[in-house]
Amino acid sequence: MVSTDDHSNDAKELEVMLSRIQHIIVDYVQKGQEQLVPVVNYHTPEELYKLFDFNLPNKGVGLEGIFKTINSTLEYSVNSWNPRFLDKLYAGTNPIGVISELLLAVLNSNAHVFHVSPVLSLMEIEVTKAVGQLLNMGEKAGGILCPGGSASNLLAMITARNKLFPSIKTEGYFPRPFHPQSKYGKLKVFTSIHSHYSIDKAVQVLGLGLDNIVKVPVDHEGKMQVDILEKLIELSIQKDETPFFINATAGTTVLGAFDPIKDIAMIAKKYHCWLHVDGSWGGSVAFSDKVMKTTSWLEGSEHADTFTLNPHKLLGVPLQCSMLLTPHEGHLLFAKSNSSRADYLFHGNEYDIGAGTIGCGRRPDATKMFMAWKYYGKDGLGGRVDKALSLASQFTTMVRERKGFKLVQDPSPFLQICFWFVPPTIEKHVESLKGKEYSLCLSRITRHLHQQIREKGEFLVDHSPLEGIPDFFRVVINAPTLSLHRDLERLLDVIEEVNASVDWSELL
Amino acid sequence: MVSTDDHSNDAKELEVMLSRIQHIIVDYVQKGQEQLVPVVNYHTPEELYKLFDFNLPNKGVGLEGIFKTINSTLEYSVNSWNPRFLDKLYAGTNPIGVISELLLAVLNSNAHVFHVSPVLSLMEIEVTKAVGQLLNMGEKAGGILCPGGSASNLLAMITARNKLFPSIKTEGYFPRPFHPQSKYGKLKVFTSIHSHYSIDKAVQVLGLGLDNIVKVPVDHEGKMQVDILEKLIELSIQKDETPFFINATAGTTVLGAFDPIKDIAMIAKKYHCWLHVDGSWGGSVAFSDKVMKTTSWLEGSEHADTFTLNPHKLLGVPLQCSMLLTPHEGHLLFAKSNSSRADYLFHGNEYDIGAGTIGCGRRPDATKMFMAWKYYGKDGLGGRVDKALSLASQFTTMVRERKGFKLVQDPSPFLQICFWFVPPTIEKHVESLKGKEYSLCLSRITRHLHQQIREKGEFLVDHSPLEGIPDFFRVVINAPTLSLHRDLERLLDVIEEVNASVDWSELL
């Protein structure tokens, strides 16, 4: 069967393809989860160019050809079903995740206007409302799906600027010099030094300039220091600047710290700033009754003007699935502050969610979260969070008690376990170093071991730098199939094994 | 089987689900393509809330429950496999489109850094290079995938601003008043009055202000008037403003006009402006040798600094799939102008494509275009374009010759056939009206007929307003399964049938 532009038999063709790919997929999932294959068959780009056929032909390759490509793609890709993929804040997905994507693929729909995606638009309205309510945002809670956490954070900042300074939407920043009595000075954004770089990107996109982000210091746990935030805002006002946007992070990228939202909200209110919470990573704990009852992590979320939450991270929904939530009128907030006239498309329907985005056509990503919630229930999703937290705590203990390993933070604030490994054979030498030399040495050890582990492919973990301290391993606990002994203890063994084969005297 | 947080049997669970959904999907595709079901079972939001179970439970609904949701979703959604879905610039997808999405779902990968998506990153590099070369962009052609055409246009404008005015990236627009010797005045964007509203959105996002877009008039075919463009740029410079960005459209949203890229490129060069081409809709004609040889539509594309092309429109790749192409160093152009430091993520690898985006995590959408090209070949994709163009020409003739129907443009410039229907029974009355009254009357007729047709669900077509003329029907020719007589002639019949049931004396 070679298909070119004859589509009269698409249903049959799809049936043949689905039947054929099904066992390939099931086999791939099983081998990944049971670790019969490594996380990745590591190859450099140069090697991959030799191993994989990237040629794009004039004549189509047909069914046999395309299945060769599909099989090669799986063979050389990262198998994220393997719980030893510990590298990023997302993990593999799950059966209903795959089925939801398949459903979206078949529908090939577009969540910009209601009349082309009626069910999917209402799913988006309902599921953002329900998640907003988990954050105690009340009856008017709602939101909109964006293509990733950075996009949600960007839309939050645009919305804040357009709501607080509507003239900028039409006039831009330019009239200011011509109107010295202008109501605003340099617009300033406040965020912690540990917040995600998407805040920086948003600031530069908006034309505010990276110099106009004020990075607030964090305490020893990585949380924003609220007293210093206030001082920095005061200082900014004294310089005739205009603080307008505060970003609090719920679950920082590297350490997993939760900024104290409730205290920050009071500052935001006092200085008339927009409060955004970047809960891309940590926001999903709202599904856990246990976390909501026993921690203060999300306390004050209801005071956020906007809140980013990525179900594609901690909840296992396939990437991309990111929500921007708000207690102010749901998605209509965004339509009111961001819409451009597009009469050919939007005919004034409040169910046309796309009006609030900075785009036009849009994947109906909310469907995947809707389906995950239906299938697992709030309790199932919350259970996933609890399980990860329990495992993180056990693994922290394991690292603490193991010779040669040193926790960056103890206890680990959330689901990232960050640690150094100091090779016992050179421990004395390392510990004798001071300041920058110590830091450089430990960073070099981390990076060298990390590179070796990545090339083995048995595990994927990341290494992270953080201002002022040596590079360290960051292990993200997320996948519900992850096991303390089979996987995490084995990781520590692998680090030791790799270390045993290194001649440090040559490298340091 | 009720799944909560037990994932030990995911492979088996996925197998059960895939087996079960397969016949549902194949049946859905077949019924759509063979038109055994309407395009949509039309319901208002209020009705849908009664018909569909949007409840999000604490306990998961399990396998039976989720298949009930899946079946209801399909039942009340738009079936875009039905070729009578003529409403938007995208159509249904095709078998390899579905399979590609399924592959991406299983991989659940992220195209930000090479080491988590090795094959998919190289696919992106290769397929953007290959498409860039179809646009004659040469050896250094390449690009990056963005979450939709609007996002590509936005990234183009950000890149232009950052490259031309690097100080804005760090300082923002704010230092200007303090540096009266600043090298730039108000930044101005030039685009035709028929260009897509995403240009407006990008301007407001960037803080340039909607007042700083200069809308260039179009000729009778809807193409930008280049002599007026030049005059407007001259005028702007005389006012000490700084024209910096010209957007040319290859295939406008409503009429399908192609701005003369080559002539506009000369203006861009003369005035040191960035030339962006929004070929979201029309750029895909690059796959057709016939179009490239016999038309001047894409002539001059190689002079574009950036070029948006959406395979999810004319090529049937599932939504979202949009590329931003450039002849300048491929994706590295974007990394250099837009990256923020994110040391924890990007470790200085030129294959880490995400550095050039304004986001972080990203769907590997390029894979879908790569697979479509492999499967159908360039010739297959080009054949699809040729087929649509031939059908558009035949349908234009059909509309021209049919009593009561009036083409908005004759011949149709591209794949949108735009027309009015003047009911024969009131033709004399309508034609006797002048100016605004005539326009209002014809708009009312279009909108009323359109609403009735939409509610029937046999067809989905759009109606469009356009400055200065009455609202008209816009029929988009795209799906390769569309038939002149079975579908398009039937549409004209339906318009007449609906008209026959309307008592215009009550409505006008």
Side-chain angles (χ1 to χ4, degrees):
Chain A
M1 178 169 54
V2 174
S3 188
T4 54
D5 55 358
D6 173 21
H7 289 268
S8 58
N9 224 351
D10 274 356
K12 183 69 198 159
E13 193 174 325
L14 181 58
E15 188 172 23
V16 169
M17 286 183 164
L18 279 174
S19 299
R20 187 155 171 176
I21 203 170
Q22 181 175 325
H23 87 269
I24 297 174
I25 286 176
V26 171
D27 183 60
Y28 182 80
V29 170
Q30 188 166 8
K31 285 192 174 140
Q33 286 205 332
E34 295 179 6
Q35 311 181 349
L36 304 172
V37 291
V39 178
V40 61
N41 287 310
Y42 180 82
H43 293 287
T44 62
E46 295 72 25
E47 288 165 355
L48 261 186
Y49 272 119
K50 286 176 196 152
L51 292 165
F52 191 97
D53 174 14
F54 288 103
N55 177 49
L56 291 163
N58 285 335
K59 301 273 167 238
V61 299
L63 191 70
E64 294 309 319
I66 208 69
F67 270 85
K68 217 175 136 190
T69 304
I70 289 169
N71 283 320
S72 292
T73 303
L74 291 169
E75 185 179 351
Y76 297 114
S77 288
V78 168
N79 190 322
S80 57
W81 296 85
N82 190 325
R84 296 184 181 185
F85 174 66
L86 302 163
D87 193 291
K88 295 278 168 271
L89 301 181
Y90 67 95
T93 183
N94 44 46
I96 193 62
V98 174
I99 297 296
S100 303
E101 284 286 12
L102 183 54
L103 181 65
L104 288 184
V106 170
L107 288 171
N108 197 36
S109 192
N110 192 330
H112 58 355
V113 291
F114 175 82
H115 80 264
V116 301
S117 57
V119 182
L120 311 187
S121 296
L122 299 189
M123 280 180 178
E124 180 161 352
I125 290 172
E126 292 307 307
V127 77
T128 52
K129 182 173 186 164
V131 177
Q133 289 179 345
L134 295 182
L135 298 170
N136 300 315
M137 286 182 170
E139 264 310 303
K140 288 191 168 180
I144 203 164
L145 274 278
C146 297
S150 298
S152 291
N153 290 341
L154 174 63
L155 185 60
M157 201 181 287
I158 295 165
T159 304
R161 187 200 58 191
N162 288 356
K163 284 291 273 189
L164 298 174
F165 311 100
S167 70
I168 292 175
K169 192 173 166 185
T170 45
E171 299 173 357
Y173 306 115
F174 299 109
R176 238 170 41 84
F178 312 117
H179 299 294
Q181 74 281 28
S182 164
K183 284 182 191 139
Y184 62 92
K186 285 189 192 184
L187 299 187
K188 289 280 177 175
V189 169
F190 294 75
T191 191
S192 97
I193 55 167
H194 282 188
S195 65
H196 190 253
Y197 76 100
S198 56
I199 303 298
D200 302 52
K201 285 217 167 179
V203 163
Q204 76 97 338
V205 166
L206 264 68
L208 303 177
L210 292 167
D211 294 348
N212 290 312
I213 310 183
V214 181
K215 293 281 174 84
V216 184
V218 295
D219 65 14
H220 65 284
E221 289 178 310
K223 298 177 184 177
M224 185 191 282
Q225 293 189 266
V226 183
D227 50 339
I228 303 186
L229 167 70
E230 181 163 17
K231 278 180 197 147
L232 289 168
I233 290 177
E234 288 278 4
L235 208 66
S236 174
I237 292 170
Q238 282 164 25
K239 289 192 277 182
D240 287 329
E241 297 167 349
T242 304
F244 84 106
F245 187 92
I246 303 173
N247 173 64
T249 307
T252 56
T253 311
V254 176
L255 295 180
F258 286 78
D259 289 340
I261 301 174
K262 198 176 161 189
D263 298 343
I264 297 171
M266 286 172 65
I267 304 289
K269 197 175 175 191
K270 182 171 172 189
Y271 295 96
H272 311 291
C273 290
W274 190 275
L275 175 61
H276 174 65
V277 177
D278 178 5
S280 294
W281 171 226
S284 296
V285 300
F287 282 83
S288 160
D289 290 338
K290 193 172 161 192
V291 170
M292 294 302 271
K293 274 181 201 150
T294 60
T295 77
S296 59
W297 291 346
L298 297 186
E299 219 176 281
S301 297
E302 66 276 20
H303 301 304
D305 295 297
T306 41
F307 191 113
T308 297
L309 190 153
N310 288 9
H312 75 223
K313 291 194 161 82
L314 190 43
L315 300 180
V317 174
L319 196 147
Q320 63 192 44
C321 186
S322 173
M323 317 184 145
L324 183 62
L325 303 162
T326 176
H328 315 307
E329 301 182 82
H331 69 96
L332 295 178
L333 166 74
F334 306 108
K336 285 179 189 168
S337 34
N338 306 324
S339 74
S340 284
R341 287 180 60 233
D343 300 340
Y344 79 90
L345 183 64
F346 299 106
H347 304 303
N349 185 332
E350 66 175 300
Y351 296 96
D352 290 347
I353 304 174
T357 68
I358 58 168
C360 178
R362 195 168 59 110
R363 292 193 97 231
D365 293 321
T367 301
K368 298 184 288 183
M369 179 62 210
F370 184 91
M371 299 295 277
W373 190 327
K374 272 271 186 200
Y375 187 60
Y376 295 118
K378 172 173 169 285
D379 296 347
L381 296 170
R384 178 181 169 128
V385 172
D386 293 340
K387 193 168 175 180
L389 282 165
S390 159
L391 191 56
S393 162
Q394 293 170 65
F395 184 50
T396 299
T397 303
M398 186 181 277
V399 173
R400 182 191 304 127
E401 290 171 356
R402 186 125 163 183
K403 198 175 143 44
F405 292 86
K406 259 179 80 172
L407 287 161
V408 173
Q409 283 199 300
D410 192 6
S412 304
F414 191 39
L415 295 170
Q416 295 102 304
I417 318 303
C418 299
F419 57 84
W420 295 283
F421 176 71
V422 184
T425 51
I426 51 166
E427 191 188 351
K428 273 195 185 159
H429 166 69
V430 176
E431 300 296 344
S432 73
L433 300 170
K434 303 270 178 245
K436 205 175 170 184
E437 283 205 347
Y438 171 79
S439 194
L440 278 174
C441 177
L442 207 44
S443 291
R444 211 174 297 138
I445 292 167
T446 302
R447 284 202 299 263
H448 187 76
L449 293 173
H450 175 265
Q451 183 63 21
Q452 308 292 310
I453 292 164
R454 180 181 289 178
E455 285 174 18
K456 280 170 71 86
E458 186 180 337
F459 282 90
L460 268 188
V461 292
D462 212 353
H463 68 98
S464 281
L466 202 66
E467 224 175 310
I469 59 172
D471 288 12
F472 49 83
F473 289 98
R474 184 192 68 161
V475 173
V476 182
I477 309 296
N478 182 343
T481 48
L482 192 61
S483 145
L484 181 66
H485 295 287
R486 183 195 57 192
D487 302 315
L488 294 169
E489 192 168 10
R490 170 70 192 148
L491 170 64
L492 303 184
D493 293 346
V494 166
I495 292 174
E496 288 178 351
E497 281 171 27
V498 166
N499 173 64
S501 68
V502 178
D503 182 354
W504 290 112
S505 64
E506 283 188 5
L507 286 158
L508 295 176
Chain B
M1 180 169 52
V2 173
S3 188
T4 53
D5 54 359
D6 174 20
H7 289 268
S8 58
N9 224 352
D10 274 356
K12 183 70 199 159
E13 193 174 324
L14 181 56
E15 187 173 24
V16 169
M17 284 184 166
L18 279 173
S19 300
R20 185 154 171 177
I21 203 171
Q22 181 175 323
H23 87 267
I24 297 175
I25 285 175
V26 171
D27 184 60
Y28 182 79
V29 170
Q30 186 166 10
K31 285 193 174 140
Q33 285 204 332
E34 295 179 6
Q35 311 181 348
L36 303 172
V37 290
V39 178
V40 60
N41 287 310
Y42 181 82
H43 293 288
T44 62
E46 295 71 25
E47 288 164 355
L48 261 186
Y49 271 119
K50 286 178 196 150
L51 292 164
F52 191 97
D53 175 14
F54 289 102
N55 178 48
L56 291 163
N58 285 335
K59 301 272 168 240
V61 298
L63 192 70
E64 294 309 318
I66 209 68
F67 270 86
K68 216 176 136 189
T69 303
I70 290 169
N71 284 319
S72 293
T73 303
L74 291 169
E75 184 178 352
Y76 296 114
S77 288
V78 168
N79 189 322
S80 58
W81 296 85
N82 190 325
R84 296 184 181 184
F85 174 67
L86 303 163
D87 191 290
K88 294 279 169 273
L89 300 181
Y90 67 95
T93 184
N94 45 46
I96 193 62
V98 174
I99 297 296
S100 304
E101 284 286 12
L102 183 54
L103 180 66
L104 288 184
V106 170
L107 288 170
N108 197 36
S109 191
N110 192 330
H112 56 356
V113 290
F114 175 83
H115 80 265
V116 301
S117 57
V119 183
L120 311 188
S121 295
L122 298 189
M123 280 180 177
E124 180 161 351
I125 290 172
E126 292 307 307
V127 77
T128 51
K129 182 174 186 163
V131 177
Q133 289 180 343
L134 295 182
L135 298 170
N136 301 315
M137 286 181 170
E139 264 311 302
K140 288 191 167 180
I144 204 165
L145 274 278
C146 297
S150 298
S152 292
N153 291 341
L154 174 64
L155 185 61
M157 201 181 288
I158 295 164
T159 305
R161 186 200 60 191
N162 288 356
K163 285 291 272 187
L164 298 174
F165 311 100
S167 70
I168 291 176
K169 193 173 166 186
T170 45
E171 299 173 355
Y173 306 115
F174 300 108
R176 237 168 44 83
F178 312 115
H179 299 294
Q181 74 281 30
S182 164
K183 285 183 189 139
Y184 61 92
K186 285 189 191 184
L187 298 188
K188 289 280 178 174
V189 169
F190 294 75
T191 191
S192 96
I193 54 167
H194 282 188
S195 65
H196 190 252
Y197 77 100
S198 56
I199 303 298
D200 302 52
K201 285 217 169 181
V203 163
Q204 77 95 339
V205 166
L206 263 69
L208 303 177
L210 291 167
D211 295 349
N212 290 312
I213 310 183
V214 182
K215 293 282 174 82
V216 185
V218 294
D219 66 14
H220 65 285
E221 289 178 309
K223 297 176 184 176
M224 185 192 281
Q225 293 189 267
V226 183
D227 51 340
I228 303 186
L229 166 68
E230 182 164 16
K231 279 181 196 147
L232 289 168
I233 290 177
E234 288 279 4
L235 207 66
S236 173
I237 292 170
Q238 283 164 25
K239 289 193 277 182
D240 286 329
E241 296 168 348
T242 304
F244 84 107
F245 188 91
I246 303 174
N247 172 65
T249 307
T252 56
T253 311
V254 176
L255 295 180
F258 285 78
D259 289 340
I261 302 173
K262 198 175 161 189
D263 298 342
I264 295 171
M266 288 172 64
I267 303 290
K269 198 173 173 191
K270 182 170 172 188
Y271 295 96
H272 311 291
C273 289
W274 190 275
L275 175 60
H276 175 65
V277 177
D278 178 5
S280 294
W281 171 227
S284 296
V285 300
F287 282 83
S288 161
D289 291 337
K290 194 172 161 192
V291 170
M292 294 303 269
K293 275 182 201 149
T294 61
T295 76
S296 60
W297 291 346
L298 296 186
E299 220 176 280
S301 297
E302 65 276 20
H303 303 303
D305 295 296
T306 41
F307 190 113
T308 298
L309 189 153
N310 288 9
H312 76 222
K313 291 193 160 83
L314 190 44
L315 301 181
V317 175
L319 196 146
Q320 63 191 42
C321 187
S322 173
M323 316 184 145
L324 183 62
L325 303 162
T326 176
H328 314 307
E329 302 181 82
H331 70 96
L332 295 178
L333 166 74
F334 306 109
K336 286 180 188 169
S337 33
N338 306 323
S339 73
S340 282
R341 285 179 61 233
D343 300 339
Y344 79 90
L345 183 63
F346 299 106
H347 303 304
N349 186 332
E350 66 175 301
Y351 296 96
D352 291 347
I353 305 177
T357 68
I358 58 170
C360 178
R362 196 168 58 110
R363 292 194 97 231
D365 292 322
T367 302
K368 298 185 286 182
M369 179 62 211
F370 184 92
M371 299 295 277
W373 189 327
K374 272 271 187 202
Y375 187 60
Y376 294 119
K378 173 174 168 282
D379 296 348
L381 297 170
R384 179 181 167 127
V385 173
D386 294 339
K387 193 169 174 178
L389 282 165
S390 159
L391 191 57
S393 162
Q394 294 170 62
F395 183 49
T396 300
T397 303
M398 187 182 275
V399 173
R400 184 191 302 125
E401 290 172 355
R402 184 121 164 187
K403 198 174 144 45
F405 291 86
K406 258 178 81 171
L407 288 160
V408 173
Q409 282 199 301
D410 192 5
S412 305
F414 191 40
L415 294 170
Q416 296 100 305
I417 319 302
C418 298
F419 58 84
W420 294 283
F421 177 70
V422 185
T425 50
I426 52 166
E427 190 187 349
K428 274 196 182 158
H429 166 70
V430 175
E431 300 296 344
S432 73
L433 299 171
K434 304 269 176 244
K436 204 173 169 186
E437 281 206 347
Y438 171 80
S439 194
L440 278 174
C441 177
L442 206 44
S443 292
R444 211 173 297 136
I445 291 167
T446 302
R447 286 201 298 263
H448 186 76
L449 292 174
H450 174 266
Q451 183 63 20
Q452 307 293 309
I453 292 164
R454 179 181 290 178
E455 286 175 20
K456 279 170 72 88
E458 186 180 337
F459 282 89
L460 268 188
V461 293
D462 212 353
H463 68 97
S464 281
L466 204 64
E467 224 176 310
I469 59 173
D471 288 11
F472 49 83
F473 289 98
R474 184 192 68 161
V475 174
V476 182
I477 309 297
N478 182 345
T481 47
L482 193 61
S483 145
L484 182 66
H485 294 289
R486 185 196 57 193
D487 302 316
L488 294 170
E489 191 168 11
R490 171 69 192 150
L491 171 64
L492 302 185
D493 293 346
V494 167
I495 293 174
E496 287 178 352
E497 282 172 26
V498 167
N499 173 64
S501 68
V502 179
D503 182 353
W504 290 112
S505 64
E506 282 187 7
L507 286 158
L508 296 176

